[in-house]
Amino acid sequence: MEKREFQAESKRLLEMMINSIYSKKEVFLRELISNASDAIDKIYYRALSDESLTFEKDQYYIKVEADKDQRTLIIRDTGIGMTKEELENNLGTIAESGTLNFKNETEIEDGHDIIGQFGVGFYAAFMVADVVTVYTKSLESDKAWKWRSEGTEGYTIEEYKKEDPGTVIVLNIKENTEDETYDEFLEQDRLQDIIKKYSDFIRYPIKMDITEERPKEDNEEELEKVTEEQVVNSMVPIWKKNKNELTKEDYENFYNEKRYGFDKPLKHMHIQVDGTIRFDSILYIPENIPFDYYTQDYEKGLELYSNGVLIMHKCADLLPDYFSFVKGLVDSEDLSLNISREMLQQDRQVRLIQKNLNKKIKNELKKMLKNDRENYEKFFESFGRQLKFGVYNNFGQDKETLQDLLLFYSSKEKKLVSLDEYISRMPEDQKYIYYATGDSIDRIEKLPQTELVLDKGYEILYFTEEVDEFAIKMINTYNEKEFRSVSSGDLGIEDEESKEETENEEKENKELFDKMKDVLSGKVKDVKVSKRLKSHPVCLTADGEISIEMEKVISQMPDNQNIKADKILEINASHDVFRSLQTAFANNDEETLKLYTNLLYNQALLIEGLPIQDPVEFTNDICKVMA
């Protein structure tokens, strides 16, 4: 028996493997099981071209055995096995992949692709084992071989007796240290969990001897330990099954099994794509919002599988942020993985999948909006804010994707409506899509600024969330109709006669308004006659891109830079209060004019939900009027 050394490059790579390539030690079992699955697949492909071979799938399996006393973990398969030459090439030279060579030489068809690409996964075993021993016999040889290594120092190969083709890998599990616990890789439940997590959909049965407590046959009150061989993986993934064979309950059960949520999904999508890149996917739209969804702790992403083997638990790149609520998985045979089979090498493949999924998700949501309004509104109540953030984010580059999915409360319908539904009801003479902002529907309904628009019979959309107006500013127009706030300077409603009447009133009262503007210097940009007020005496409007509601939102941000809206104080010239102002001005009663002006300004602030700068002064002013 001759001891052989790894090549210098291989030795360095093995040290990297043990110390840094894999993010989690548990993936060693995924790698060894994937290799075992590949070994069985190779028999399948040989049988396609070799008439002397028959492939009966039921005869092939992988078995995992743990021995706590001996501290050994055994992975055995009934695959094609290896010759001495293959042992030297595949295990003696790290990163030499027999599977990759086999894939290059063999035409893969029938969707029966094999997993391995790099030939390094086997060495993940050294993350948890001091010694790794391989017993193998090739299907094409009468001789069996034993390969043994203690890690970077090299390996030995010697002849061995083994009856049947296949491979047995024995890991001598490391002793526990202060920092690491290796006992877990000898525990039955832990091994089952790892297999279920990463290798549940390997197409061949993975067997274990499972010990369970059961009632005795002759006395059900007493328990006894029973050990029996069980298959611990599901084998056939639900996403590979024919959609017609699956029921709604099958998809809901899978949702619960994968712990995607404690609710029932509102919708599921079973996607099978065979194009530029091939992939299968099952996606879910949840009903309830996760408790941490709008926090930094929430982690978006879909489970990513390659040939049924879990590669990433959360692949964030498969979903844009605005669809981060979607749960599910993607399985593709076409992914290019890195050396640890944990990260993707080609962003282009992920972008293609994401683009396809985006389209599918949007179409499903549009179908829900049209055909299943009740469930769509449940969804929108939970995740509508995220869609609005998506419209606003990235300078509105995704607005075309998302604007048709938005809903807002309607003054006319008294319920949520889409922008398309609003447009369909617009009178011919209506120029703009009108909206009003506020903390609640009840508060918006009491806003003085809504009076003129409602009197014209026009519908108003109520914006009650902080992001609403920011998102609409990004959309700007919908179906060639511009959005217009009821608090904006020009509502586009006044006829020529009304405009002329307003201009005359402003000219007649210019000195009064200039005086009021001086009193409110630094607080308002202008004071003018209102064209929108009917029964209320006063209101605030905004001139420019920053509205009063946007100012309120920005002021709550950590770095708000003191951004303010340019406020206009509008006075109802038909109200008795205006005549009181005119009287005070005509009598040169500056104290009373100042008192009335400050009261009206603070009243307008309260209507908008803005804080009063000096509440004590405000209450004193009220007392002066009452005295």
Side-chain angles (χ1 to χ4, degrees):
M1 181 177 65
E2 179 186 352
K3 187 167 184 178
R4 310 179 188 200
E5 290 189 358
F6 292 116
Q7 296 177 11
E9 295 83 358
S10 295
K11 187 174 180 179
R12 285 196 296 270
L13 181 55
L14 180 53
E15 290 171 346
M16 288 174 57
M17 293 272 306
I18 296 171
N19 297 313
S20 61
I21 286 182
Y22 290 97
S23 59
K24 295 181 180 178
K25 285 183 167 54
E26 65 186 27
V27 300
F28 83 91
L29 189 55
R30 176 193 73 184
E31 297 298 295
L32 297 181
I33 289 174
S34 295
N35 289 345
S37 176
D38 288 348
I40 299 173
D41 280 337
K42 289 175 183 178
I43 298 180
Y44 168 78
Y45 280 105
R46 291 283 165 86
L48 293 179
S49 56
D50 187 344
E51 294 182 0
S52 65
L53 279 178
T54 57
F55 184 84
E56 298 291 340
K57 187 177 178 182
D58 294 342
Q59 297 176 6
Y60 298 93
Y61 63 88
I62 301 160
K63 186 162 185 179
V64 178
E65 306 168 50
D67 187 329
K68 290 184 181 179
D69 296 330
Q70 298 296 320
R71 290 191 70 79
T72 57
L73 181 65
I74 301 171
I75 297 93
R76 67 177 75 240
D77 67 65
T78 55
I80 199 166
M82 287 178 280
T83 63
K84 182 181 180 182
E85 182 182 7
E86 287 170 332
L87 271 177
E88 291 177 340
N89 289 338
N90 297 342
L91 302 190
T93 306
I94 304 174
E96 176 72 23
S97 173
T99 294
L100 182 58
N101 293 337
F102 186 85
K103 287 176 74 175
N104 292 336
E105 295 168 4
T106 308
E107 186 178 347
I108 304 301
E109 52 189 36
D110 297 329
H112 203 91
D113 204 356
I114 50 183
I115 300 163
Q117 290 187 46
F118 293 100
V120 297
F122 167 79
Y123 290 90
F126 286 102
M127 291 192 295
V128 300
D130 291 314
V131 181
V132 178
T133 308
V134 179
Y135 305 93
T136 186
K137 181 182 180 184
S138 172
L139 184 68
E140 299 170 342
S141 174
D142 294 330
K143 291 184 177 181
W145 300 92
K146 174 184 174 182
W147 182 99
R148 185 179 184 277
S149 175
E150 295 181 11
T152 57
E153 296 308 312
Y155 61 94
T156 60
I157 298 179
E158 60 181 303
E159 198 168 335
Y160 187 77
K161 286 186 179 180
K162 188 176 187 300
E163 294 296 323
D164 300 319
T167 299
V168 179
I169 300 174
V170 181
L171 310 184
N172 290 83
I173 300 298
K174 294 177 181 180
E175 297 290 342
N176 295 335
T177 66
E178 289 184 7
D179 300 323
E180 300 284 353
T181 302
Y182 294 97
D183 286 353
E184 63 177 308
F185 302 118
L186 296 167
E187 295 290 340
Q188 170 185 295
D189 291 344
R190 177 70 171 120
L191 293 171
Q192 279 186 274
D193 287 343
I194 296 172
I195 292 169
K196 199 75 179 170
K197 180 177 179 180
Y198 293 104
S199 307
D200 195 33
F201 304 112
I202 290 289
R203 63 175 63 91
Y204 305 106
I206 303 171
K207 300 179 180 181
M208 286 182 66
D209 293 328
I210 303 297
T211 301
E212 299 174 325
E213 284 192 340
R214 296 178 185 174
K216 288 184 176 181
E217 290 185 6
D218 55 348
N219 185 353
E220 292 191 358
E221 294 184 2
E222 289 188 28
L223 298 175
E224 62 178 349
K225 289 187 176 181
V226 178
T227 301
E228 64 180 16
E229 187 178 76
Q230 295 180 15
V231 175
V232 295
N233 64 320
S234 302
M235 288 188 284
V236 182
I238 185 174
W239 59 85
K240 291 288 188 181
K241 294 180 180 179
N242 191 315
K243 299 178 192 179
N244 298 329
E245 298 173 0
L246 298 167
T247 65
K248 181 182 178 183
E249 286 70 28
D250 291 327
Y251 291 108
E252 288 179 353
N253 289 338
F254 185 70
Y255 181 87
N256 293 327
E257 287 171 13
K258 298 297 287 182
R259 296 185 177 90
Y260 289 143
F262 297 105
D263 55 346
K264 279 190 176 182
L266 289 174
K267 283 289 178 181
H268 70 265
M269 290 161 269
H270 191 160
I271 302 163
Q272 294 169 323
V273 174
D274 190 3
T276 308
I277 185 167
R278 296 171 296 167
F279 70 90
D280 298 290
S281 178
I282 292 183
L283 304 180
Y284 295 95
I285 297 173
E287 177 178 358
N288 298 332
I289 187 169
F291 71 94
D292 61 346
Y293 186 67
Y294 288 113
T295 71
Q296 291 182 340
D297 296 331
Y298 180 77
E299 188 180 2
K300 72 163 183 171
L302 303 175
E303 290 183 317
L304 181 62
Y305 289 78
S306 178
N307 289 297
V309 178
L310 181 65
I311 302 303
M312 294 178 71
H313 184 60
K314 294 275 189 181
C315 184
D317 293 337
L318 290 172
L319 290 172
D321 286 344
Y322 53 79
F323 285 155
S324 59
F325 50 81
V326 174
K327 305 288 187 181
L329 57 85
V330 171
D331 185 8
S332 176
E333 301 173 359
D334 297 337
L335 296 175
S336 296
L337 309 176
N338 74 356
I339 198 168
S340 66
R341 279 204 283 230
E342 290 181 316
M343 302 294 289
L344 303 180
Q345 288 183 318
Q346 293 185 23
D347 289 341
R348 178 178 172 274
Q349 295 169 321
V350 177
R351 286 199 301 270
L352 284 172
I353 295 175
Q354 191 211 66
K355 184 178 179 181
N356 201 299
L357 293 180
N358 273 9
K359 191 181 297 183
K360 300 284 186 184
I361 294 168
K362 180 186 176 179
N363 288 341
E364 189 63 32
L365 290 173
K366 285 187 76 172
K367 280 197 290 183
M368 278 181 70
L369 177 59
K370 182 180 179 181
N371 303 322
D372 191 3
R373 186 59 171 253
E374 183 179 350
N375 273 335
Y376 187 83
E377 290 190 11
K378 285 181 185 176
F379 151 76
F380 198 82
E381 183 180 350
S382 294
F383 303 107
R385 179 181 294 184
Q386 190 67 13
L387 298 184
K388 296 170 189 175
F389 276 125
V391 170
Y392 173 71
N393 203 22
N394 297 323
F395 304 100
Q397 70 177 27
D398 299 306
K399 64 182 181 181
E400 298 293 334
T401 301
L402 300 172
Q403 60 188 9
D404 293 332
L405 302 175
L406 302 182
L407 296 180
F408 299 100
Y409 188 86
S410 161
S411 63
K412 184 170 286 187
E413 298 296 312
K414 305 299 181 186
K415 63 180 182 180
L416 293 173
V417 301
S418 68
L419 297 178
D420 193 57
E421 289 166 345
Y422 181 101
I423 290 284
S424 69
R425 290 191 292 269
M426 283 179 62
E428 288 186 13
D429 63 339
Q430 184 178 337
K431 298 178 182 178
Y432 303 113
I433 301 172
Y434 293 104
Y435 68 87
T437 59
D439 296 334
S440 65
I441 291 169
D442 183 59
R443 191 159 193 157
I444 293 173
E445 285 181 333
K446 295 175 181 176
L447 284 178
Q449 294 93 322
T450 62
E451 287 184 313
L452 180 61
V453 178
L454 292 176
D455 279 357
K456 290 287 289 185
Y458 296 159
E459 188 173 0
I460 301 174
L461 298 177
Y462 291 176
F463 292 177
T464 56
E465 292 189 315
E466 299 95 332
V467 70
D468 287 349
E469 193 168 15
F470 289 89
I472 289 303
K473 293 280 188 183
M474 284 296 175
I475 296 176
N476 194 32
T477 61
Y478 183 82
N479 280 8
E480 300 181 352
K481 294 289 185 180
E482 186 181 334
F483 289 90
R484 187 61 57 95
S485 169
V486 296
S487 298
S488 65
D490 179 17
L491 292 175
I493 292 177
E494 302 81 17
D495 53 34
E496 290 301 319
E497 185 178 337
S498 298
K499 284 182 180 179
E500 188 177 339
E501 184 179 335
T502 302
E503 288 172 3
N504 291 334
E505 286 176 334
E506 287 184 348
K507 286 178 183 178
E508 291 171 7
N509 295 281
K510 184 178 184 303
E511 292 183 9
L512 167 60
F513 291 144
D514 287 344
K515 191 68 176 178
M516 294 176 71
K517 187 176 175 182
D518 288 341
V519 172
L520 300 174
S521 177
K523 297 177 181 177
V524 298
K525 182 180 179 181
D526 203 359
V527 179
K528 59 172 62 175
V529 171
S530 178
K531 296 173 278 188
R532 73 194 79 226
L533 294 175
K534 296 293 182 182
S535 60
H536 292 81
V538 68
C539 73
L540 281 175
T541 60
D543 184 31
E545 287 299 310
I546 303 297
S547 70
I548 293 171
E549 194 65 26
M550 292 170 77
E551 175 190 315
K552 288 160 63 177
V553 175
I554 294 170
S555 68
Q556 296 171 12
M557 295 179 179
D559 184 21
N560 63 67
Q561 299 177 357
N562 202 31
I563 295 174
K564 301 289 185 183
D566 290 329
K567 300 179 186 69
I568 310 294
L569 185 69
E570 294 195 3
I571 308 294
N572 184 353
S574 302
H575 201 280
D576 291 341
V577 165
F578 184 63
R579 285 185 278 279
S580 297
L581 287 168
Q582 287 177 314
T583 300
F585 180 73
N587 295 334
N588 289 321
D589 188 349
E590 291 192 8
E591 186 177 341
T592 301
L593 181 62
K594 181 179 178 182
L595 174 67
Y596 289 170
T597 300
N598 281 324
L599 276 173
L600 287 171
Y601 172 70
N602 285 323
Q603 181 183 338
L605 286 177
L606 287 173
I607 291 171
E608 291 297 326
L610 290 169
I612 293 173
Q613 191 171 359
D614 190 341
V616 174
E617 182 184 18
F618 176 63
T619 54
N620 288 337
D621 286 346
I622 292 175
C623 290
K624 288 176 185 177
V625 173
M626 296 175 67

